[in-house]
Amino acid sequence: MGKLLIVGTVAFDAIETPFGKTDKILGGAATFIGLAASQFNLESAIVSVVGEDFPQEYLDLLTRKNIDLTGLQVIKGGKTFFWSGKYHNDLNSRDTLSTELNVLADFEPIVPENFKDADVVMLGNLHPSTQMSVINQMQERPKLIVLDTMNFWMDNALEELMEVIKHIDVITINDEEARQLTNEYSLVKAAEKIQQMGPKFVVIKKGEHGALLFHKSKVFFAPALPLKEVFDPTGAGDTFAGGFTGYLTESKNASFSNLKRAVIHGSNLASFCVEKFGTERMTDLNKKEVNNRLIQFRELTQFDIELQ
Amino acid sequence: MGKLLIVGTVAFDAIETPFGKTDKILGGAATFIGLAASQFNLESAIVSVVGEDFPQEYLDLLTRKNIDLTGLQVIKGGKTFFWSGKYHNDLNSRDTLSTELNVLADFEPIVPENFKDADVVMLGNLHPSTQMSVINQMQERPKLIVLDTMNFWMDNALEELMEVIKHIDVITINDEEARQLTNEYSLVKAAEKIQQMGPKFVVIKKGEHGALLFHKSKVFFAPALPLKEVFDPTGAGDTFAGGFTGYLTESKNASFSNLKRAVIHGSNLASFCVEKFGTERMTDLNKKEVNNRLIQFRELTQFDIELQ
């Protein structure tokens, strides 16, 4: 069975959308990645940090999903990373209301011994030096290293980001971030430039407008499933990353056609994530629902045209 | 051979993009629709109006593309409809600098006798009463009536628009306009409401983010081809409509799977249109280029996933 190592935040989120608001609920990049990846046949572990205030029920939930928590540090007397945000009416943009780093401020990741030979490493959004530290702790070069990042690190730790980018195989990044990183408006040109920085594959996430996969001169596009209601977009990008890396860990194949499938699996799982607040929808998701929606994805995109 | 009747503007455009600007060049909805449809095996005619200032070379161009111009009125002493606009840096939005209706102000469409039995009618963006007048002149109900419109008519002639919408089979509309027409943010809900107004099929155009086709509970998505350079978006929507209706006229089949193909053909041709100013790229486009890009569309979107 393939091993997936997940690095990222485990957090409290408080979310406000046009449809309602939550108190502190379970959130964090590694959480969403782990829950999505748990849909696949694999061994996974989370490397992260929480405070003493982190509820046992959340730990139990992750353990029930077969996620190894040996690498999840619980800091005595510490407080868990907290983010709160408010989405605008169209749900495409949001304001961050508060960010309390808490125990994340001094986080030094420790990769568990039995995951130092992981096949796939998913570096969720974190300081690029933390991401680099995880790569350095691996026994041997993993078959696939996937990195997610955001504009915050381009603004505040560009040099470290450029360094870690050299060592990865796939980057997942949103459209505006791809433009910021490369100074190119065209996503085709941006993806070319990013490939020159290191990663062989570039995934550009466009939210409700889908995701693009680039590799050399090849490009693949997966739409987001058109939904009647998008309830809460929080975690959609991380859920995508979890579906993407979960599938690749299970299938052990890093060909372009397999990465295409991984993009579809990621988009498919993300379409569930946004249907309820936080991790709620991902927690109770079953195989049959996932498969039925894959059929919808097929119907949404597949056509046959004879060329003359 | 199937007959396609095209109604819409034939115009002068003056365009400014970040890449350059033009003097008055050939433009207009019917022009772009006609040029795109000429890629298919069909008989087509344009119903429109121009002034005496309209150059013979433009008429010759349309005639060379086998477009019947019997229904193109040339008004002695009149001036051709003129639009000028300036695109913003991202090319996704533009300011209209001037609109001179000229001969369009008093336009009364006359459908040529030999096209009163057209199989497909493409009602390009015009006053809804003008669109309705064309429907009323048809000998018998065409197999397919497709209508394009815009927010201007929703603001200024909503009642007439709602009336003509009752009589059509397919509406093509952009995402913001679909939202305005229905007061629904979700495009899935908007498409449902529009189907209740009359059209069995709803095509929602999202510019660089592709196009959606809705019919009952079915939905199909075609991306726009990711391009290195988008030079001038003018006419892309009309080129889409021309490819869409051109293919449907040639193939004589209004099933959902065939409309899917039509959406792909429309998107494919639109991807050429934006590569040069105005009609320039569409004028010299050949079958081989079109077919090669259809192969790119297939590679962009097709995947195989086994369900477990």
Side-chain angles (χ1 to χ4, degrees), chain B:
Chain B
M1 204 162 12
K3 285 186 185 176
L4 170 64
L5 180 66
I6 300 161
V7 190
T9 52
V10 173
F12 290 131
D13 286 347
I15 302 159
E16 192 173 339
T17 79
F19 309 109
K21 59 188 289 186
T22 68
D23 288 328
K24 284 186 178 184
I25 57 172
L26 176 60
T31 307
F32 284 103
I33 294 167
L35 288 176
S38 74
Q39 291 291 329
F40 298 91
N41 194 20
L42 49 73
E43 291 179 59
S44 71
I46 285 180
V47 169
S48 191
V49 64
V50 292
E52 211 178 340
D53 57 349
F54 197 72
Q56 186 63 36
E57 58 165 318
Y58 290 166
L59 297 172
D60 293 345
L61 165 64
L62 296 172
T63 306
R64 262 202 320 279
K65 296 289 177 183
N66 277 320
I67 303 170
D68 183 317
L69 298 184
T70 318
L72 179 65
Q73 303 165 34
V74 183
I75 306 296
K76 286 263 179 240
K79 286 181 72 184
T80 301
F81 172 58
F82 171 66
W83 174 83
S84 81
K86 181 178 173 170
Y87 287 87
H88 301 160
N89 275 338
D90 66 1
L91 293 176
N92 279 326
S93 51
R94 67 186 186 192
D95 295 323
T96 289
L97 301 178
S98 95
T99 306
E100 298 170 17
L101 283 183
N102 298 332
V103 294
L104 204 61
D106 304 310
F107 175 46
E108 295 194 7
I110 302 170
V111 177
E113 279 308 317
N114 59 330
F115 273 85
K116 284 190 172 167
D117 61 350
D119 303 279
V120 177
V121 174
M122 176 66 227
L123 302 167
N125 176 39
L126 270 180
H127 194 294
S129 304
T130 310
Q131 295 176 318
M132 193 68 224
S133 157
V134 168
I135 297 180
N136 288 334
Q137 291 176 55
M138 300 306 286
Q139 236 157 48
E140 54 195 74
R141 174 68 162 78
K143 296 196 187 71
L144 203 72
I145 304 178
V146 182
L147 175 140
D148 189 57
T149 189
M150 66 183 295
N151 51 1
F152 181 80
W153 308 115
M154 297 174 199
D155 296 333
N156 297 293
L158 185 59
E159 206 174 312
E160 294 95 323
L161 179 61
M162 294 306 283
E163 179 56 30
V164 66
I165 281 183
K166 283 186 202 158
H167 295 83
I168 62 169
D169 301 294
V170 187
I171 189 170
T172 70
I173 193 171
N174 81 26
D175 43 1
E176 283 320 309
E177 291 157 355
R179 288 174 174 137
Q180 179 175 344
L181 189 60
T182 59
N183 263 316
E184 291 287 352
Y185 184 80
S186 156
L187 298 179
V188 178
K189 287 189 183 172
E192 271 181 11
K193 276 203 181 172
I194 296 172
Q195 287 179 67
Q196 287 160 13
M197 297 173 186
K200 294 186 288 289
F201 300 95
V202 176
V203 175
I204 298 183
K205 299 174 289 180
K206 306 199 296 170
E208 64 161 332
H209 299 302
L212 287 157
L213 167 68
F214 293 92
H215 174 58
K216 294 180 180 166
S217 66
K218 292 185 187 135
V219 52
F220 175 69
F221 177 82
L225 198 74
L227 295 170
K228 274 201 186 180
E229 304 273 11
V230 172
F231 193 77
D232 170 21
T234 310
D238 296 314
T239 300
F240 174 90
F244 182 76
T245 48
Y247 176 72
L248 290 172
T249 307
E250 178 185 285
S251 57
K252 297 188 171 182
N253 170 350
S255 70
F256 187 73
S257 7
N258 206 50
L259 265 77
K260 282 162 62 168
R261 289 183 203 108
V263 168
I264 294 291
H265 280 288
S267 303
N268 191 45
L269 291 176
S271 79
F272 289 103
C273 177
V274 302
E275 290 183 333
K276 293 193 179 172
F277 266 131
T279 58
E280 202 180 335
R281 188 67 179 94
M282 299 310 291
T283 305
D284 65 2
L285 190 60
N286 69 51
K287 201 83 190 168
K288 198 176 162 201
E289 293 173 304
V290 173
N291 275 342
N292 282 343
R293 202 162 279 187
L294 280 174
I295 295 171
Q296 280 184 270
F297 260 91
R298 207 150 60 180
E299 287 169 353
L300 178 65
T301 56
Q302 304 302 285
F303 61 86
D304 61 298
I305 278 191
E306 280 175 42
L307 302 176
Q308 289 145 358

Side-chain angles (χ1 to χ4, degrees), chain A residues 187-219:
Chain A
L187 297 178
V188 178
K189 287 188 184 172
E192 272 181 11
K193 275 201 181 171
I194 296 172
Q195 287 179 68
Q196 287 160 13
M197 298 173 185
K200 293 186 288 290
F201 300 95
V202 176
V203 175
I204 298 184
K205 300 174 289 179
K206 304 198 296 169
E208 63 160 333
H209 298 304
L212 286 157
L213 167 68
F214 293 92
H215 174 57
K216 294 180 182 166
S217 66
K218 292 186 187 134
V219 52

